[in-house]
């Protein structure tokens, strides 16, 4: 890849917001937010070039990975620190590759392709209602799932094109270049 990615990893609560003046009575009674007080909105964990990666995105990606690999049972597994660290590294790598695909304007993914992949996820459940409960339980929206699927499809297509390109190289040509250099 021709581009250089600037990756910054910072593990800390950096994105804060101000509690709304109309904080709920339950929040006020629990002391969890006071009107005008700064509250943690999201924890930023890395940036790749100008793209921010948050703990929420790491957890969302982990949920989808667990769902894809283990079906409904996998989706219910807890997300521990080891998995979060692996998913964070995965997301950083994905973003670097996606930036290159964007730069080269390659591999646009259609809505139909995204919808087909999302439908595969939905079919892992006993119906759309169970899938919606899964999303609600983990604080995911259908839009977030579609974004994850879109990114994964585009990166996968980009990587497969690179593997095909390398596999087409003539072994004798590579050996001759290696011997000469």
């Amino acid at each position: 890849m021709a581009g250089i990615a600037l990756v910054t990893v910072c593990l800390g609560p950096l994105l804060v917001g101000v509690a709304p003046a109309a904080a709920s009575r339950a929040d006020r009674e629990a002391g969890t937010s006071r009107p005008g007080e700064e509250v943690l909105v999201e924890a930023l964990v890395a940036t790749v070039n100008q793209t921010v990666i948050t703990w929420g995105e790491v957890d969302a990606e982990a949920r989808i990975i667990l769902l894809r690999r283990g079906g409904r049972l996998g989706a219910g597994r807890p997300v521990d620190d080891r998995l979060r660290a692996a998913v964070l590294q995965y997301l950083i790598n994905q973003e670097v590759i996606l930036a290159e695909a964007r730069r080269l304007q390659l591999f646009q993914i259609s809505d139909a392709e995204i919808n087909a992949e999302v439908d595969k996820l939905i079919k892992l459940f006993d119906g759309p209602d169970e899938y919606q409960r899964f999303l609600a339980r983990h604080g995911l929206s259908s839009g977030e799932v579609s974004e994850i699927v879109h990114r994964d499809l585009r990166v996968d297509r980009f990587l497969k094109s690179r593997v095909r390109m390398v596999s087409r190289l003539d072994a004798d040509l590579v050996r001759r270049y290696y011997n000469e250099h």
Side-chain angles (χ1 to χ4, degrees):
M1 287 184 258
I4 296 176
L6 174 61
V7 177
T8 306
V9 177
C10 57
L11 305 174
L14 296 181
L15 301 177
V16 295
V18 177
S24 75
R25 181 176 174 204
D27 286 342
R28 286 192 308 270
E29 288 173 1
T32 56
S33 70
R34 292 176 182 78
E37 174 184 46
E38 283 190 348
V39 294
L40 176 65
V41 174
E42 180 63 277
L44 177 138
V45 291
T47 58
V48 180
N49 298 328
Q50 300 293 316
T51 302
V52 171
I53 299 173
T54 66
W55 274 132
E57 291 170 313
V58 171
D59 281 343
E61 184 72 37
R63 284 281 152 225
I64 300 303
I65 289 169
L66 289 170
L67 176 62
R68 282 180 168 161
R69 294 195 178 157
R72 287 182 312 171
L73 295 175
R77 290 187 48 217
V79 177
D80 61 16
D81 289 341
R82 208 172 101 203
L83 178 58
R84 276 189 187 94
V87 171
L88 174 59
Q89 186 61 56
Y90 173 78
L91 284 173
I92 290 169
N93 293 339
Q94 292 278 88
E95 191 54 46
V96 169
I97 294 165
L98 188 58
E100 186 68 4
R102 283 186 198 118
R103 185 183 74 77
L104 297 172
Q105 298 179 349
L106 295 173
F107 309 111
Q108 301 303 318
I109 306 298
S110 72
D111 289 343
E113 292 172 288
I114 295 167
N115 292 337
E117 286 300 311
V118 171
D119 286 343
K120 288 179 187 176
L121 294 177
I122 294 170
K123 288 179 181 168
L124 294 172
F125 293 91
D126 288 333
D129 291 342
E130 186 181 349
Y131 174 71
Q132 289 302 321
R133 285 191 294 278
F134 162 79
L135 294 179
R137 184 172 48 255
H138 298 294
L140 294 169
S141 70
S142 56
E144 289 172 310
V145 173
S146 294
E147 287 175 26
I148 289 169
V149 166
H150 176 258
R151 187 199 64 239
D152 288 349
L153 286 171
R154 192 166 184 190
V155 167
D156 184 58
R157 197 163 292 164
F158 183 87
L159 291 175
K160 283 180 180 173
S161 77
R162 296 300 182 231
V163 169
R164 279 193 301 274
M165 187 184 314
V166 169
S167 68
R168 282 185 264 170
L169 290 176
D170 180 40
D172 291 331
L173 178 65
V174 172
R175 194 173 300 111
R176 188 176 25 198
Y177 179 85
Y178 177 78
N179 290 334
E180 292 173 6
H181 297 88

